[in-house]
Amino acid sequence: MHHPFRHGTGNKASAYNRVNTNSLVPNDDNNDSFHNEEHQSALILRSTPSDVEEKEQSNSTEDEITIQSQSESSSSFRDISIIVFPLLLVYISNQWSRYSISYLVDFSSPDNNAATAAAFTAMNVDLQFTKSQYGLLASTAFTFLFAFSSLIAGSLADKYDRKLLTLSSCLVWTVATVAQSTAQSYEEVLMARVVMGGACAFAAPAAYTLIADKISKDKLAFANSLYGSGVYLGGALASLSLLLDENV
């Protein structure tokens, strides 16, 4: 025969044991979070300073590439007008000075007779030089030093300030042009042409490299063609020197 109090006491004991057993078993969710924290800590400990530096370098390289791509695509008409047009004006002056002598002579008379050609408008009549001497002025005197200086100009444009190089050469050929116009003898004209040829050689190398650095690739061909037109514009203005002779 079972005692009623003994049966109730047994149920209370088994219930207490179940509670204690459940409290001793760890929770699966807590275990997972604990292991994740341990894994992250291990990854942080395994990352060396070189890994961190490599990540920083890669991020900075990507930023530089992004900035460079944005700057390359940012050239506008304003950029071209600021950079190319001043160089174009200098190049026009360059070619004008170079070809002006072709329109300052008159060999219509075999003996350079002043009746057919005025000394004021024809240099050969004023200074009394021949066609062969004029050929030396128009070709060899200019192109000999021009070809030699072109090799030096390219090297200097890679090493020194190209803006200063352009302005300096422009100043030199301007002085040579003035000396040519005020020369009192054939020898003075010859010397002025030699100096002019050496100075004019510095314009194109400095200008083309400067344009390539400052203008984006999508506008580079247009900028180069615009600058190259200075050859024809300068030659056209040189031909208009005849009109200046007639009206000044």
Side-chain angles (χ1 to χ4, degrees), residues 136-185:
L136 179 63
L137 291 176
S139 59
T140 308
F142 184 92
T143 57
F144 177 75
L145 191 57
F146 181 88
F148 179 74
S149 298
S150 296
L151 301 176
I152 302 175
S155 177
L156 293 179
D158 291 332
K159 297 178 182 179
Y160 300 103
D161 188 352
R162 289 161 294 185
K163 296 178 183 178
L164 181 61
L165 194 64
T166 301
L167 292 176
S168 301
S169 62
C170 181
L171 178 63
V172 172
W173 81 61
T174 300
V175 172
T177 304
V178 174
Q180 175 184 283
S181 64
T182 59
Q184 299 298 316
S185 66

Side-chain angles (χ1 to χ4, degrees), residues 31-97:
N31 285 339
D32 292 339
S33 62
F34 177 75
H35 288 303
N36 288 334
E37 290 177 357
E38 280 189 340
H39 181 67
Q40 290 176 359
S41 301
L43 289 177
I44 294 173
L45 291 175
R46 282 199 299 268
S47 351
T48 61
S50 60
D51 295 335
V52 176
E53 291 177 358
E54 289 179 359
K55 290 179 180 179
E56 291 179 352
Q57 290 177 357
S58 63
N59 292 334
S60 62
T61 304
E62 290 177 357
D63 294 338
E64 290 176 358
I65 294 173
T66 303
I67 294 172
Q68 183 178 3
S69 62
Q70 290 176 353
S71 62
E72 287 180 353
S73 61
S74 63
S75 291
S76 61
F77 180 78
R78 180 177 178 273
D79 299 325
I80 294 176
S81 62
I82 293 174
I83 297 170
V84 180
F85 277 110
L87 294 174
L88 175 61
L89 294 177
V90 171
Y91 201 35
I92 290 173
S93 171
N94 181 308
Q95 299 301 309
W96 192 349
S97 302

Side-chain angles (χ1 to χ4, degrees), residues 116-128:
T116 57
F120 179 75
T121 59
M123 183 184 294
N124 61 303
V125 175
D126 184 28
L127 301 179
Q128 293 296 309

